[in-house]
Amino acid sequence: MPFQLEPLNVDNIHEHIFERYTQLVSLSDEVSQDLGIHQKTNIVHVDIEPPLHARNKREKLNCLESYNFIIEQSLSGLYSSSNGNSTTGYVLWSTTPAFIQWLLYDPNAYELRKGGSVKTIGTSIARSIPAMFSGKQSTGIVELGSGVSGILPVILGNHVDYYICTDQRGILNKMKHNIRENISQLNRRHCLSQSMGITSGEDREEPAGNAVNLEIMLLDWEKFQLKDGTCYPDLYFLAQKSSTVYIVAMDVIYNDFLIDPFLKTLSQIRDYFIQKKLQTHCLIGIHLRAEDMVANFLEKAVLQYRLPVNHVVDSFLESTRFSLYYI
Ligand SMILES: C[S@@+](CC[C@H](N)C(=O)[O-])C[C@H]1O[C@@H](n2cnc3c(N)ncnc32)[C@H](O)[C@@H]1O
C-alpha cells in the first residue's frame, strides 16, 4: 500500500507525537537507542542496496541500482566546540541512509519517485504527489544541512536535473571531497558542476543529453535572506529550469535554538519557488530524540509559519527511529 499523508494541525500534533513515541517504545528491542551517528569511525562504508526480497525481482527486470560509498568524516570535528552547531555536519547521521533506502527501493514510495496520488487520512480526497525523479517534468532538489557525506546528491543526481547541496562554510570542503570520491556512481547522467569545477564527463559513460547540474552552496540558516534570488544564482537557475522542486532536509531538528532559523529559511525558499510557479514540496526527516523538541518544531511549523505539514504514514518508516514530514 502506498504511503499515506496525515495532515497535522493544532488539534492533532500532540496525539501524533504521543502515538509515534509509543510506537518507538514498543520497538525498543529493534531500533537503535543511540543519538544516530551512522558509524563512529573516520572512514565509513555505506552500502545502499535493494533489500534481499526485492533483489531477485529487480535483477529479472535488469534495473538493479545499488551504491557503495566510502565517506571520510571527522569525529574530532564533531566533538570540537570551535564551530557551534555546524559541527554535527562533520559526520553522517543515520536518517539519511534510512530515507534513501526507503525512497529508492520501497514499493510504497513509488508515488514519490514517479508521481501519483496517495490517500489523505481523515478525508476521502486523494492527494496528487509530483514525481521527485524527473521524467516528463524536469525536477530539482535543494538540500538543507546536507552534511559531509554526499550520499543524497550522488544517488539522487542520477534522477533529477538539478541538485543543490547546502550547509555552513566549515562543512563544504569535506562534502565536495566525498562527492568527488564517489561521483563515479553518479553514472546515469552527465554531471555538470561549477562549484566543483566539473564541466564535462567525457571520461564516463552517460546517456547523451541527460544531465544533472550539481552545485554546492553556502547557506547558513542564521544569516539567510532571500529577496529575489539574485544573490543565490543556483536557486535562480533551478527555478528557471525546473517545473518541480523538492526541498529536502534530513536530521536538522536537534536543537531548539535552530528551529526558527531553519523554518524561516525553509519558508523563504519555498515561497520563492512557489512565486516562480514551480510545484514546490518539502521532505523533512526527523530523528526522534527529545519529544519536546519535535513537538516544538511541528507547532511552530504549523501555527507560526503556517506550513501545510503532513506526517508520512508508512509501515517501513514506522519501524525506524525517524519520522518523515511532507509539506
Ligand atoms: C545532524 S546533522 C545532519 C547532516 C546530514 N543531513 C545527515 O543526515 O548526515 C545537521 C546538519 O545541519 C547543519 N546545520 C546546523 N546549523 C546550521 C545552520 N545555521 N545553517 C545551515 N546548516 C546548519 C549542520 O552543519 C549539519 O550538516
Side-chain angles (χ1 to χ4, degrees), residues 278-297:
L278 274 79
Q279 296 202 75
T280 305
H281 291 284
C282 316
L283 282 170
I284 315 296
I286 299 191
H287 186 102
L288 299 171
R289 302 185 187 93
E291 213 170 313
D292 287 358
M293 190 156 27
V294 182
N296 188 13
F297 168 73

Side-chain angles (χ1 to χ4, degrees), residues 60-98:
K60 273 183 212 140
L61 294 171
N62 198 24
C63 60
L64 193 72
E65 177 181 359
S66 50
Y67 299 89
N68 309 101
F69 284 87
I70 300 180
I71 293 161
E72 223 177 79
Q73 58 180 20
S74 169
L75 290 172
S76 57
L78 170 69
Y79 296 122
S80 101
S81 56
S82 64
N83 199 15
N85 287 304
S86 74
T87 57
T88 57
Y90 280 116
V91 300
L92 167 66
W93 297 80
S94 53
T95 303
T96 286

Side-chain angles (χ1 to χ4, degrees), residues 1 26 37 47 74 90 97 103 110 117-118 121 127 143 150 199 221-222 229 235 239-240 244-245 253 268 307 318:
M1 185 173 66
S26 70
I37 299 172
D47 298 330
S74 169
Y90 280 116
L103 179 68
Y110 177 89
S117 56
V118 302
I121 293 173
R127 168 88 184 261
E143 189 185 357
T199 50
W221 314 328
E222 287 174 73
L235 296 181
Q240 297 301 306
T244 299
V245 61
I253 306 303
Q268 288 185 72
L307 293 167
E318 277 167 16

Side-chain angles (χ1 to χ4, degrees), residues 36 38 78 84-97 143-149 152 166-169 171 175 218-223 249-254 257-258 261-262 265 289:
H38 189 67
L78 170 69
N85 287 304
S86 74
T87 57
T88 57
Y90 280 116
V91 300
L92 167 66
W93 297 80
S94 53
T95 303
T96 286
E143 189 185 357
L144 301 178
S146 305
V148 296
S149 80
L152 296 186
T166 72
D167 212 306
Q168 289 178 294
R169 192 178 296 284
I171 302 298
M175 186 200 302
L218 169 66
L219 194 162
D220 188 324
W221 314 328
E222 287 174 73
K223 299 178 186 150
M250 290 297 132
D251 199 358
V252 297
I253 306 303
Y254 57 94
F257 165 75
L258 288 171
F262 172 75
T265 300
R289 302 185 187 93

Side-chain angles (χ1 to χ4, degrees), residues 298-312:
L298 292 175
E299 277 174 355
K300 283 200 166 182
V302 170
L303 294 175
Q304 195 176 327
Y305 290 84
R306 308 239 161 242
L307 293 167
V309 181
N310 296 270
H311 174 222
V312 177

Side-chain angles (χ1 to χ4, degrees), residues 1-4 58 61 63 65 99-119 127-136 139 156 159 246 283 312-317 324 326:
M1 185 173 66
F3 69 87
Q4 300 185 6
R58 282 171 182 269
L61 294 171
C63 60
E65 177 181 359
F99 165 71
I100 195 66
Q101 188 80 27
W102 176 74
L103 179 68
L104 280 186
Y105 309 121
D106 201 307
N108 297 347
Y110 177 89
E111 279 68 17
L112 196 51
R113 294 191 291 272
K114 301 286 187 177
S117 56
V118 302
K119 211 177 147 212
R127 168 88 184 261
S128 157
I129 305 287
M132 203 170 178
F133 292 5
S134 68
K136 284 186 201 134
T139 65
L156 293 175
H159 297 287
Y246 274 89
L283 282 170
V312 177
V313 179
D314 172 84
S315 51
F316 169 77
L317 300 178
L324 189 63
Y326 183 89

